């Protein structure tokens, strides 16, 4: 397995990738206050979920594809999470190499190394066959997660009495799901437990919602 990884690194370092697509670097970075960093925790995208899109490989130019572009697309490294396909390929490559060298007793000589290199080709073919059914699954998978819920303008029910600077909880029912949010009176008027309220806006620090009385 170590030899396999070493060979991959060697091959990758020796390849001259001349991208056939434009790479634009935007030097202007917009930093927003609400960047999704809360409580000192950052959410970084897991590399195992990284997906190479067809547009990233092919680009916008209408020219014949290079061999590495064709290979990435044909063997399902494009359109599926890259590490998903790559893991299948490495495991199948290792399995074929291990079985073949064990049956031919060539695991400790140069012939076994040659078998390992040759086994990468059938491993790619088997990987394509196995991973192809997963394309429809990942195509319909919501990789960005659930869309954020917009509470503004919705009716809610107070779960505690609030007034002036006193805050409390309210229940919002959305698509049959009961959700609890932290609320504060918009004008400071007293609102009692069980009262119907209308969510007007979100606080500047985005920790609670400002509400007012709601009459059906």
């Amino acid at each position: 397995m170590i030899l396999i990884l070493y060979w991959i690194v060697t091959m990758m370092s020796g390849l001259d990738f001349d991208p056939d697509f434009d790479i634009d670097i935007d030097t202007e970075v917009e930093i927003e206050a609400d960047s999704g960093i809360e409580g000192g925790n950052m959410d970084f995208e897991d590399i195992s979920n990284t997906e190479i899109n067809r547009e990233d490989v092919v680009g916008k130019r209408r020219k014949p594809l290079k061999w590495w572009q064709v290979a990435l697309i044909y063997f399902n490294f494009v359109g599926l999470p890259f590490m998903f396909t790559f893991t299948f390929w490495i495991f199948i490559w290792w399995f074929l190499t291990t079985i073949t060298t064990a049956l031919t007793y060539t695991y400790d000589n140069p012939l076994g190394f040659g078998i390992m290199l040759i086994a990468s080709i059938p491993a790619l073919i088997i990987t394509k066959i196995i991973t192809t059914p997963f394309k429809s699954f990942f195509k319909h998978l919501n990789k960005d997660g659930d869309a954020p819920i917009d509470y503004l303008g919705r009716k809610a029910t107070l779960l505690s009495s609030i007034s002036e600077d006193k805050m409390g909880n309210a229940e919002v029912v959305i698509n049959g799901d009961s959700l609890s949010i932290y609320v504060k009176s918009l004008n400071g008027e007293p609102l009692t437990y069980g009262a119907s309220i209308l969510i007007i806006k979100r606080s500047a620090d985005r920790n609670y919602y400002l509400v007012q009385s709601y009459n059906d």
Side-chain angles (χ1 to χ4, degrees), residues 117-134:
L117 298 181
I118 297 173
S120 64
I121 305 302
L124 280 173
I125 298 174
I126 297 174
T127 297
K128 175 180 173 59
I129 296 173
I130 294 178
T131 58
T132 295
F134 289 96

Side-chain angles (χ1 to χ4, degrees), residues 22-34:
D22 297 326
I23 301 176
D24 297 327
I25 301 177
D26 188 0
T27 57
E28 297 181 1
V29 179
E30 180 180 356
I31 301 177
E32 299 181 356
D34 182 25

Side-chain angles (χ1 to χ4, degrees), residues 109-162:
N109 59 50
L111 181 59
F113 182 76
I115 292 175
M116 183 199 72
L117 298 181
I118 297 173
S120 64
I121 305 302
L124 280 173
I125 298 174
I126 297 174
T127 297
K128 175 180 173 59
I129 296 173
I130 294 178
T131 58
T132 295
F134 289 96
K135 279 190 171 183
S136 59
F137 171 77
F138 281 101
K139 183 178 181 180
H140 296 92
L141 184 66
N142 185 9
K143 64 181 180 180
D144 296 324
D146 294 330
I149 299 175
D150 185 11
Y151 292 97
L152 302 186
R154 294 184 181 273
K155 177 185 173 182
T157 303
L158 273 177
L159 299 179
S160 57
S161 297
I162 60 175

Side-chain angles (χ1 to χ4, degrees), residues 6-18 67-68:
Y6 174 78
W7 179 77
I8 293 175
V9 173
T10 304
M11 291 294 293
M12 293 296 290
S13 61
L15 290 176
D16 181 16
F17 286 91
D18 181 17
W67 67 269
W68 61 270

Side-chain angles (χ1 to χ4, degrees), residues 52-184:
I52 302 178
N53 297 315
R54 182 181 293 266
E55 292 77 12
D56 299 329
V57 176
V58 177
K60 298 179 180 179
R61 300 179 183 177
R62 296 181 178 179
K63 295 174 62 178
L65 299 180
K66 296 185 178 181
W67 67 269
W68 61 270
Q69 294 173 317
V70 175
L72 286 176
I73 296 172
Y74 182 78
F75 291 110
N76 294 340
F77 287 95
V78 174
L80 288 174
F82 179 81
M83 288 303 296
F84 178 82
T85 306
F86 184 76
T87 300
F88 266 99
W89 178 45
I90 292 298
F91 176 78
I92 296 171
W93 187 3
W94 166 81
F95 182 78
L96 291 178
T97 301
T98 302
I99 294 298
T100 305
T101 55
L103 292 176
T104 57
Y105 299 99
T106 56
Y107 46 81
D108 58 351
N109 59 50
L111 181 59
F113 182 76
I115 292 175
M116 183 199 72
L117 298 181
I118 297 173
S120 64
I121 305 302
L124 280 173
I125 298 174
I126 297 174
T127 297
K128 175 180 173 59
I129 296 173
I130 294 178
T131 58
T132 295
F134 289 96
K135 279 190 171 183
S136 59
F137 171 77
F138 281 101
K139 183 178 181 180
H140 296 92
L141 184 66
N142 185 9
K143 64 181 180 180
D144 296 324
D146 294 330
I149 299 175
D150 185 11
Y151 292 97
L152 302 186
R154 294 184 181 273
K155 177 185 173 182
T157 303
L158 273 177
L159 299 179
S160 57
S161 297
I162 60 175
S163 62
E164 298 182 351
D165 292 332
K166 181 182 178 182
M167 293 186 287
N169 291 87
E171 180 187 45
V172 187
V173 178
I174 301 176
N175 297 328
D177 296 327
S178 179
L179 306 172
S180 179
I181 59 173
Y182 208 36
V183 296
K184 179 181 178 182

